[in-house]
Amino acid sequence: CEEKQLITVFGCLQDKNAAAMVSEIAQKSDILICVAPDSPKACLPEELAKLARPHCRRVFACASLEQAVEQAL
């Protein structure tokens, strides 16, 4: 039986507490894929990934939701 991994695709807006959310989500994820929501107020995926790296070993920043889904699969 293959061991399951939790793969999370995450994005948030600048007016949210990104550091706190990323910390909680990254700690529970085996793989975290950061992406910007379709909004002018979106956090940059690279910034989210930087916040996540201390909490998760496998973190990726993707330029689009389509790329994030491909990475997750």
Side-chain angles (χ1 to χ4, degrees):
C1 184
E2 198 172 306
E3 186 177 325
K4 294 184 180 186
Q5 292 187 320
L6 177 59
I7 302 171
T8 307
V9 176
F10 177 76
C12 73
L13 302 179
Q14 294 172 357
D15 63 347
K16 306 301 179 207
N17 188 343
M21 288 191 289
V22 166
S23 172
E24 284 293 318
I25 291 168
Q27 289 178 49
K28 294 171 175 57
S29 301
D30 296 302
I31 300 171
L32 180 63
I33 303 168
C34 302
V35 66
D38 187 17
S39 169
K41 295 178 5 177
C43 291
L44 295 176
E46 296 80 13
E47 291 177 10
L48 295 173
K50 184 178 178 181
L51 292 170
R53 286 194 176 99
H55 308 287
C56 182
R57 290 186 302 125
R58 297 173 65 193
V59 178
F60 302 93
C62 292
S64 68
L65 183 56
E66 291 79 15
Q67 184 185 20
V69 171
E70 278 186 35
Q71 181 76 34
L73 298 176

